[in-house]
Amino acid sequence: MLGRSRRVRIATFLVVGTCIYLFYGGFLSASLLELKPSPRKRIQYPFKEKGFGGKDEDKATAVKQVMQRTFGLYKQKAWGFDEVKPVSGGQRNSRNGWGATIIDGMTTAAIMGLSDIFADQYDWVVNRVNFHKTMGLVDPFETTIRYLGALVSTVDLLEAGVISPPSPSFRKDILRQARTLADNLGPAFDTPTGMLWPRVNFSSARGVDDSGRRNSYTRTHLARAGSHFLEYATLSELTGDKIYLKNSTRAWNWLVDNKKGEEWPGILESPRLIWTGEPFGTTRTLGAPDDSHYEYLIKAHLLFPTRASTRRHAKRWVQAMTSAQTHLLSTSNTRPRHSFLLSYSKGMYENKMGHLTCFIGGNLLLGAAYLSRPDLHSFGEALIDGCHHSYVSMPSRVGPEEWSWTPRERKQTRINGFTSPVTAAQERLWSQTGIWPTAANYNLRPEVVESYFYGWRITGQQKYRDWAWDAFTAIANATSTHWGYSEVTDVTATPRDGSERDANLRDISESFWSAETLKYLYLTFSDPDLCSLDSWVFNTEAHPLKRRFR
Ligand SMILES: *[C@@H]1O[C@H](CO)[C@@H](O)[C@H](O)[C@H]1NC(C)=O
Ligand SMILES: *[C@@H]1O[C@H](CO)[C@@H](O)[C@H](O)[C@H]1NC(C)=O
Ligand SMILES: *[C@@H]1O[C@H](CO)[C@@H](O)[C@H](O)[C@H]1NC(C)=O
């Protein structure tokens, strides 16, 4: 039985608590667009309760085998370089020569349970790579999402027991490297706005523009300006050193609390001047090169769902997504109608959409599930359908880098170029499918299968698994080479024979092929509890980070 004084204390607590809740609850819901934070809100579809959706063993294994083949051939031909050249078997350094394929692929190997590969990667990270030395300038954005993201995610995955640690000192050893890297990137933040310098010169320890100089009109796009939060906040959690979190939020204070407001709430003009934060350009897009700014707004809130400070990021995300639905959503005038996203620049719409923009369907589903927004959910599903259409419309069944359509809205009167197909081949595709590629290459990118992954995990609809399998087989078919998997020049071509096929291959294989594309495919066929969206948030390079509920 409760003692009297304890009961009084509980009653007082309840009364005071209710008052605080009513006061702040009312205040917050008014100011946060009906955002009702409920930290443990379930995101994933309840597969277990519904009794289906377990691991699809055969398909998961097929994806894993492609990962093994990718890594095996890379190791044989290009160990220590950033990438293997998948057609010629040569080597390429595109990410400062720190072995991008090794490090960026670590979390995929861990998730797939590939301990041999993981042991090689771990040894490279802990004993070999030197993050003090590099040729050329360092790109803080790419370095953060690929290298630093992989390192902090690996610590989280090892601590969660996803794979057994190769050494008991893994935490200390990996974090030592992660801090070295982050500390060397530090000069990127030396601007009045906290918007990063586009590059860092490690020898002079100074932030510079992409040609190595410093000047007062250096500009940056939104993704570069401020999507370091997930990686830096996690590094601060793991090390206890707040400097990383602090640095990564400075630009956001600016971008998230834009005092001047926007014509379309939440959608900022880009690029910006890093010294003043003022817009230099007038582009408004959720696609590249502004994409992960929007992606991280909701993910910041999901990473720390109980922190009041991240609610304004969620609020900005809702604003931006609502504005995008109002101003940038477009449907084709052909039947059946498909939905796509426009971008807007210099007062004109551009009716083309890029593969990179296809992340947004999954991002919408993620935020809509958490914030209970059926309107944004439908918007997300419609965009995933549009991206799926871009794949199945191509003869190779792999989607192009960029495509166009004829929109049915009146907005089309203000369209800048791309109103109709130009070549005979484009014309033919357009008449059959309602779209035509304006850039026909495929770069092994993940965004479309990434959105299928969210579609499957959040809605439980089998069609997303089917679409993912279809994409996987088509991609493997179109891109497979002697030494791995290669970017292709033209997804409208289906060359069968050797020399014709070679001519369609670019001899490039970036690290996101194993970091992202293969990981999202694998997780679509794995047990849905593996890296559940209820416990993990993926950075923009698909490295999962533990959600922290305190
Ligand atoms: C943090 O930002 C400051 C500039 O405000 C910079 O000098 C410092 O190197 C940065 N440190 C890290 C670890 O990012
Ligand atoms: C980096 O800085 C060093 C020392 O100031 C300079 O010699 C070098 O040319 C710079 N590197 C680049 C790529 O600009
Ligand atoms: C790709 O698919 C075609 C037909 O669907 C088939 O003939 C060809 O062998 C496949 N190529 C590869 C490399 O799998």
Side-chain angles (χ1 to χ4, degrees):
M1 234 178 78
L2 292 177
R4 192 179 119 71
S5 68
R6 182 118 184 262
R7 258 180 289 158
V8 169
R9 277 208 309 274
I10 291 177
T12 313
F13 174 76
L14 285 177
V15 170
V16 172
T18 308
C19 292
I20 293 177
Y21 175 80
L22 288 176
F23 178 75
Y24 283 103
F27 166 74
L28 284 174
S29 62
S31 67
L32 292 185
L33 295 170
E34 286 149 54
L35 186 70
K36 298 186 199 76
S38 137
R40 290 283 181 178
K41 176 74 198 294
R42 183 105 168 240
I43 294 174
Q44 282 210 162
Y45 183 81
F47 291 102
K48 286 264 152 63
E49 288 87 325
K50 304 278 182 187
F52 77 99
K55 183 172 184 183
D56 187 330
E57 194 70 53
D58 292 350
K59 297 192 167 77
T61 302
V63 178
K64 192 184 201 172
Q65 282 166 351
V66 169
M67 175 66 185
Q68 286 169 306
R69 180 168 185 271
T70 299
F71 197 82
L73 293 169
Y74 160 80
K75 185 178 171 185
Q76 196 179 330
K77 292 306 267 190
W79 182 255
F81 293 88
D82 287 332
E83 297 156 22
V84 67
K85 287 183 162 181
V87 178
S88 60
Q91 304 90 23
R92 180 169 176 253
N93 274 334
S94 56
R95 303 282 160 216
N96 302 100
W98 293 320
T101 296
I102 305 175
I103 299 179
D104 214 6
M106 272 183 105
T107 58
T108 302
I111 286 168
M112 293 180 176
L114 294 167
S115 16
D116 291 359
I117 293 180
F118 188 77
D120 282 346
Q121 293 165 323
Y122 182 86
D123 178 60
W124 175 262
V125 162
V126 170
N127 301 318
R128 319 264 164 203
V129 70
N130 179 352
F131 285 127
H132 289 294
K133 264 186 37 197
T134 181
M135 293 159 303
L137 302 172
V138 182
D139 179 333
F141 170 71
E142 294 287 356
T143 305
T144 298
I145 66 172
R146 299 191 201 216
Y147 288 112
L148 195 61
L151 297 177
V152 291
S153 171
T154 299
V155 174
D156 272 356
L157 287 168
L158 285 169
E159 288 191 336
V162 167
I163 193 167
S164 25
S167 143
S169 59
F170 73 87
R171 191 180 211 276
K172 182 171 84 22
D173 294 340
I174 297 177
L175 288 178
R176 173 176 48 83
Q177 291 290 48
R179 288 192 78 143
T180 300
L181 183 58
D183 292 345
N184 286 338
L185 293 175
F189 293 93
D190 283 327
T191 61
T193 59
M195 291 185 194
L196 286 80
W197 283 101
R199 300 287 185 275
V200 178
N201 180 331
F202 273 19
S203 344
S204 63
R206 275 158 74 86
V208 290
D209 66 16
D210 52 12
S211 60
R213 288 187 283 270
R214 283 169 76 94
N215 59 55
S216 55
Y217 51 86
T218 299
R219 29 191 196 277
T220 187
H221 292 277
L222 300 183
R224 292 177 173 283
S227 19
H228 295 67
F229 181 84
L230 299 180
E231 300 81 358
Y232 274 64
T234 302
L235 184 58
S236 281
E237 287 288 313
L238 293 173
T239 59
D241 186 342
K242 292 275 180 287
I243 184 67
Y244 308 109
L245 174 73
K246 181 165 164 274
N247 275 6
S248 73
T249 46
R250 272 180 64 222
W252 263 14
N253 290 337
W254 189 276
L255 298 172
V256 175
D257 304 325
N258 179 17
K259 300 281 184 299
K260 295 192 176 154
E262 305 93 25
E263 192 185 336
W264 300 350
I267 299 196
L268 294 157
E269 302 202 310
S270 169
R272 323 282 294 192
L273 292 165
I274 64 173
W275 283 96
T276 63
E278 293 296 320
F280 177 87
T282 60
T283 300
R284 302 175 194 178
T285 181
L286 298 191
D290 297 328
D291 41 8
S292 41
H293 166 68
Y294 298 102
E295 177 188 350
Y296 274 26
L297 289 173
I298 188 64
K299 289 182 171 178
H301 182 53
L302 291 172
L303 189 71
F304 297 124
T306 56
R307 290 194 195 168
S309 62
T310 66
R311 281 191 212 144
R312 66 202 170 103
H313 302 111
K315 176 195 165 191
R316 287 293 271 179
W317 181 84
V318 172
Q319 277 186 337
M321 296 303 133
T322 311
S323 289
Q325 192 170 16
T326 309
H327 299 287
L328 297 175
L329 177 61
S330 171
T331 44
S332 56
N333 70 355
T334 45
R335 277 164 209 280
R337 293 195 170 120
H338 293 282
S339 298
F340 306 110
L341 267 193
L342 304 159
S343 56
Y344 181 86
S345 187
K346 302 189 184 78
M348 306 281 273
Y349 289 92
E350 288 195 343
N351 69 315
K352 51 180 184 164
M353 181 164 176
H355 195 290
L356 286 160
T357 316
C358 286
F359 85 90
I360 198 74
N363 190 248
L364 277 159
L365 260 46
L366 178 67
Y370 188 71
L371 303 173
S372 307
R373 294 286 303 236
D375 55 333
L376 296 180
H377 181 94
S378 313
F379 181 27
E381 285 220 72
L383 291 177
I384 301 178
D385 168 77
C387 291
H388 172 248
H389 187 64
S390 82
Y391 268 52
V392 296
S393 297
M394 297 302 127
S396 64
R397 291 180 82 79
V398 178
E401 177 74 358
E402 203 178 84
W403 67 94
S404 202
W405 62 98
T406 45
R408 82 187 245 262
E409 296 79 8
R410 271 188 302 156
K411 282 176 201 146
Q412 84 184 88
T413 54
R414 287 160 67 200
I415 274 169
N416 189 8
F418 307 104
T419 44
S420 52
V422 180
T423 65
Q426 288 180 340
E427 176 85 39
R428 205 164 43 243
L429 258 178
W430 174 70
S431 68
Q432 288 161 4
T433 68
I435 65 170
W436 69 93
T438 49
N441 53 305
Y442 171 67
N443 289 5
L444 300 171
R445 289 194 196 287
E447 293 76 17
V448 174
V449 296
E450 170 180 350
S451 279
Y452 296 165
F453 159 75
Y454 286 100
W456 164 249
R457 289 285 185 98
I458 291 169
T459 75
Q461 294 174 67
Q462 178 63 30
K463 78 172 179 196
Y464 290 115
R465 268 190 162 173
D466 296 343
W467 290 359
W469 182 249
D470 192 41
F472 171 70
T473 51
I475 292 171
N477 187 308
T479 67
S480 168
T481 61
H482 199 65
W483 296 109
Y485 300 84
S486 171
E487 296 187 3
V488 302
T489 313
D490 185 358
V491 294
T492 68
T494 50
R496 299 258 189 274
D497 96 279
S499 64
E500 233 185 284
R501 193 180 153 87
D502 283 357
N504 197 32
L505 295 166
R506 285 182 152 177
D507 207 10
I508 296 176
S509 190
E510 280 213 49
S511 64
F512 48 69
W513 165 246
S514 40
E516 301 190 66
T517 311
L518 294 178
K519 183 187 288 121
Y520 284 127
L521 284 164
Y522 183 78
L523 288 174
T524 305
F525 301 114
S526 73
D527 185 315
D529 283 345
L530 183 57
C531 293
S532 162
L533 297 172
D534 295 320
S535 311
W536 299 85
V537 177
F538 290 82
N539 90 334
T540 193
E541 190 75 3
H543 298 301
L545 303 169
K546 247 196 329 230
R547 297 180 62 199
R548 291 173 157 89
F549 294 88
R550 63 186 155 68

